[in-house]
Amino acid sequence: MHDCNDPDLVPRWFPIARSEEVEKRHVFHAKLLGEELAVWRDDEGRINAWENRCAHRGVRLTIGDNLGAELRCRYHGWRYLSGTGQCSVIPAHPGQTPSPAIRAKAYRCAERYNFVWVSLGSEGEIPEIATLAGDAPLTLRSIFVEAAAPVVGAALAGIAGATIRDPFTIETGDTIVTLLQPVSQGRCIIHAALTPAPSGDARLPVLRQHNERLSALRDAIERAGTGRLFDASTATTVDLYRRQVADTRLAYCVAS
Amino acid sequence: MNSSDPSHDQVVRDEWHVLGALEDLSARPDWDTRLLGEKVSIRRKAGNTFDVLGKDGATLQSQQRYGYLWASLGTPARPLFAIPEFDEPDRRNLNAATFGVHVSAPRAIENFLDMGHFPFVHTDYLGVEPHTEVKEYDVQVTNDGHEVLARRCRFYQPRASSVAEQGYEVEYIYRVPHPYCAVLYKANAIDAARMDVIGLFLQPVDEEHVKANMLLSLIDDASSDTTIRAFQQTIFAQDKPILENQIPLKLPLDPRAEMPAKSDASSITYRRWLRQRGVRYGTVAASA
Ligand code: FES
Ligand SMILES: [Fe+2]
């Protein structure tokens, strides 16, 4: 179960991985709003994001096996079908069809902008991000921060030239979009994408430069907390961000 | 603490609980451990006897049995369960392993009762695909409601013990005579008329941590202690990561919380039995 009481936040779509991190024949572990997820790609390329708990005895599905069309639990080998999460095989009872009531809890998920997005609710759409709408953007290494998403969002808004799209989507320059994944109340992941993707030899230095900037930002947040991070020139944007956060009642991850 | 606080579970406080193997205890000076989340101190006395003291320094009831030290934080209503085979003169009794596991005691008992995981967790030892079927077995509550008993448990095993060289269908009997202890009987690989006995005795360190002790009482004069221990420790090490990845770590007693199959008959009965006895420690209560 997620631990979020904020009804506006639960159905919202969040990026939980870069597309390339969810490889075939692997099971990727993610966490969103306190809910653990088993994320896996079937051999057709389709993504699944399931509650990370086998319906049988609660074993984490992330320690199971991605068989290509089914996910198999490590404990008793129960198999769940890609797409529906329906249990298809119970090895202790070969030849019997498992009850339709036995299924993995599947969340809505989709790929967009080279990220895997998940919504824990049943309404709403993936946010449109015009800057990323063109050619496939280049995703940066995602950065885990030991701080609540709005704290990190305020720090991102404090970067010179930042534009706030919403409390979880901040463009920190003309070509870079950062997206926040609220992992739990006090933790988040910064995903980031560059567009257009720099080509050839330019790629590596650009990636490295952005990675260093974001890592430095993370270090500063974890060291300093909020407050002292910003200089006067960006105070207005940071203020704007904080007001937006207050207006959208992000009760879940805002320190009161 | 109030009566609905699972950490103060009088039913469980009044049970005998294992505190370690005597052969390990005899090798150490005084030491402290934890039982049901409370500090317990073991003080060595003359002649390999022990005093067990509770957190307030009061002496707890204790005894030595089956090669282990046992104590109670409360007042046991009954003697410790019986394993008559243990006292047969030609048996080899040994503590095969003591393992810390980050899981509740009831989850570990369920794992011990469970044959369905053999081909997947103990691949090529206790089970192997395609021999995954769990045939129907009998399970009942016996001994005036004090024990769960599962009989006619049959399973194909490629290598059922440290002396087995080929696969065959083994037959097990499981007893659960204590919320946190279980005893398994299986026909000896050499002398089919007699049963090897394996006891799993869990020290509930707290609600989500156990120290699991495995007693072997064997009719086996060939293998060395080292070989026997190595086999059981391999099996144990295969279960540990599974147990530590169960959500929740406590055992849900609500029948709707998890989805059993027919092969889980012993687990269903065990959960119901815990519910009826009013065991709360290490479980998630059924919602009304
Ligand atoms: S817990 Fe997953 S198959 Fe049993
Ligand atoms: Fe096992």
Side-chain angles (χ1 to χ4, degrees):
Chain A
M1 269 300 277
H2 63 75
D3 60 1
C4 179
N5 306 322
D6 186 334
D8 296 334
L9 215 50
V10 174
R12 207 192 142 96
W13 287 83
F14 292 102
I16 53 94
R18 296 181 294 147
S19 285
E20 67 183 62
E21 289 179 294
V22 184
E23 294 168 277
K24 284 179 183 169
R25 301 286 172 146
H26 281 81
V27 188
F28 181 87
H29 183 278
K31 198 168 181 180
L32 179 61
L33 300 172
E35 171 82 338
E36 277 192 47
L37 303 169
V39 185
W40 63 285
R41 187 187 294 279
D42 69 19
D43 281 356
E44 319 268 78
R46 184 163 48 163
I47 299 270
N48 294 279
W50 293 352
E51 182 184 12
N52 192 16
R53 223 173 77 79
C54 177
H56 180 215
R57 295 261 182 93
V59 167
R60 283 192 173 83
L61 293 173
T62 41
I63 67 169
D65 299 307
N66 175 349
L67 302 179
E70 295 159 307
L71 188 69
R72 181 176 61 195
C73 177
R74 266 282 298 284
Y75 201 175
H76 306 95
W78 290 21
R79 297 186 193 194
Y80 299 94
L81 288 171
S82 177
T84 60
Q86 171 63 45
C87 178
S88 52
V89 176
I90 295 181
H93 302 297
Q96 290 181 27
T97 308
S99 148
I102 304 177
R103 54 178 61 229
K105 182 169 178 190
Y107 291 112
R108 292 191 300 164
C109 62
E111 282 181 281
R112 175 88 61 92
Y113 313 127
N114 269 350
F115 291 101
V116 176
W117 297 72
V118 171
S119 156
L120 301 182
S122 52
E123 289 138 46
E125 302 297 327
I126 297 178
E128 291 295 336
I129 304 169
T131 314
L132 299 181
D135 290 339
L138 176 65
T139 54
L140 308 187
R141 192 159 67 82
S142 305
I143 293 192
F144 179 89
V145 191
E146 199 78 45
V151 171
V152 177
L156 292 167
I159 294 173
T163 311
I164 304 161
R165 295 295 172 207
D166 68 53
F168 299 96
T169 313
I170 296 157
E171 301 190 14
T172 54
D174 292 343
T175 60
I176 174 161
V177 179
T178 58
L179 303 161
L180 295 177
Q181 169 192 352
V183 169
S184 62
Q185 299 206 18
R187 291 168 172 177
C188 74
I189 293 174
I190 309 173
H191 300 283
L194 280 174
T195 178
S199 54
D201 292 349
R203 220 174 168 99
L204 208 58
V206 171
L207 274 177
R208 189 173 301 139
Q209 179 210 338
H210 284 288
N211 185 41
E212 278 166 13
R213 271 178 68 201
L214 286 176
S215 301
L217 187 80
R218 175 209 45 217
D219 294 347
I221 295 168
E222 291 185 349
R223 214 174 28 244
T226 39
R228 293 187 302 278
L229 271 173
F230 316 108
D231 63 39
S233 64
T234 59
T236 340
T237 324
V238 175
D239 264 5
L240 183 70
Y241 179 84
R242 292 199 167 128
R243 255 180 289 122
Q244 268 200 28
V245 168
D247 289 349
T248 43
R249 302 187 297 117
L250 297 177
Y252 174 75
C253 38
V254 178
S256 52
Chain B
M1 265 187 249
N2 61 51
S3 57
S4 65
D5 179 355
S7 70
H8 192 92
D9 181 336
Q10 199 59 45
V11 175
V12 167
R13 293 179 77 82
D14 286 343
E15 294 280 359
W16 290 105
H17 295 288
V18 68
L19 293 179
L22 292 172
E23 60 178 292
D24 296 339
L25 294 178
S26 303
R28 358 181 11 160
D30 298 348
W31 67 300
D32 296 340
T33 182
R34 291 200 319 137
L35 177 60
L36 305 177
E38 293 179 15
K39 183 177 143 184
V40 163
S41 306
I42 297 164
R43 298 283 170 262
R44 183 104 168 261
K45 295 195 301 186
N48 270 336
T49 59
F50 302 90
D51 270 343
V52 183
L53 310 178
K55 61 176 178 185
D56 55 3
T59 305
L60 303 175
Q61 290 194 44
S62 65
Q63 63 172 307
Q64 298 183 16
R65 192 70 180 113
Y66 310 130
Y68 298 87
L69 179 66
W70 303 77
S72 174
L73 292 177
T75 313
R78 291 176 306 115
L80 185 62
F81 54 86
I83 307 176
E85 296 77 7
F86 181 87
D87 298 316
E88 291 170 5
D90 62 342
R91 288 225 168 225
R92 248 171 94 188
N93 296 318
L94 71 151
N95 177 45
T98 300
F99 254 83
V101 188
H102 181 18
V103 75
S104 63
R107 284 279 199 198
I109 291 294
E110 255 194 16
N111 167 266
F112 187 71
L113 301 180
D114 176 79
M115 293 178 288
H117 74 286
F118 289 167
F120 301 98
V121 179
H122 307 298
T123 315
D124 296 334
Y125 288 87
L126 304 184
V128 67
E129 291 184 90
H131 307 278
T132 57
E133 182 173 12
V134 176
K135 301 200 178 101
E136 193 173 347
Y137 55 92
D138 303 328
V139 51
Q140 62 189 128
V141 175
T142 60
N143 191 12
D144 264 349
H146 291 302
E147 188 163 323
V148 175
L149 179 67
R151 280 181 304 195
R152 291 205 312 121
C153 304
R154 289 155 295 152
F155 206 79
Y156 177 88
Q157 298 198 330
R159 186 172 172 235
S161 75
S162 55
V163 292
E165 270 159 20
Q166 60 189 39
Y168 58 98
E169 187 176 87
V170 294
E171 183 159 343
Y172 285 177
I173 295 170
Y174 291 100
R175 294 172 55 199
V176 189
H178 178 297
Y180 305 155
C181 298
V183 188
L184 156 71
Y185 295 77
K186 65 176 177 194
N188 180 268
I190 299 156
D191 178 355
R194 300 187 67 191
M195 306 279 253
D196 285 330
V197 181
I198 300 180
L200 179 70
F201 307 149
L202 302 169
Q203 173 186 346
V205 172
D206 62 30
E207 283 206 274
E208 296 187 346
H209 291 86
V210 295
K211 269 196 203 141
N213 300 280
M214 183 169 279
L215 164 74
L216 297 186
S217 182
L218 306 178
I219 314 287
D220 166 329
D221 47 12
S223 313
S224 70
D225 282 9
T226 316
T227 309
I228 295 172
R229 285 203 167 102
F231 180 82
Q232 293 303 337
Q233 286 172 5
T234 302
I235 300 297
F236 231 121
Q238 291 170 334
D239 281 317
K240 183 175 153 87
I242 306 291
L243 289 168
E244 294 182 341
N245 273 294
Q246 278 183 284
I247 305 174
L249 292 172
K250 294 184 213 172
L251 184 73
L253 295 187
D254 192 323
R256 292 157 300 185
E258 295 181 343
M259 285 284 193
K262 198 173 166 202
S263 53
D264 296 313
S266 57
S267 143
I268 294 166
T269 306
Y270 172 62
R271 292 184 190 199
R272 194 188 311 126
W273 179 75
L274 290 177
R275 224 159 39 232
Q276 283 163 355
R277 290 176 82 87
V279 172
R280 297 194 311 271
Y281 200 82
T283 72
V284 182
S287 48

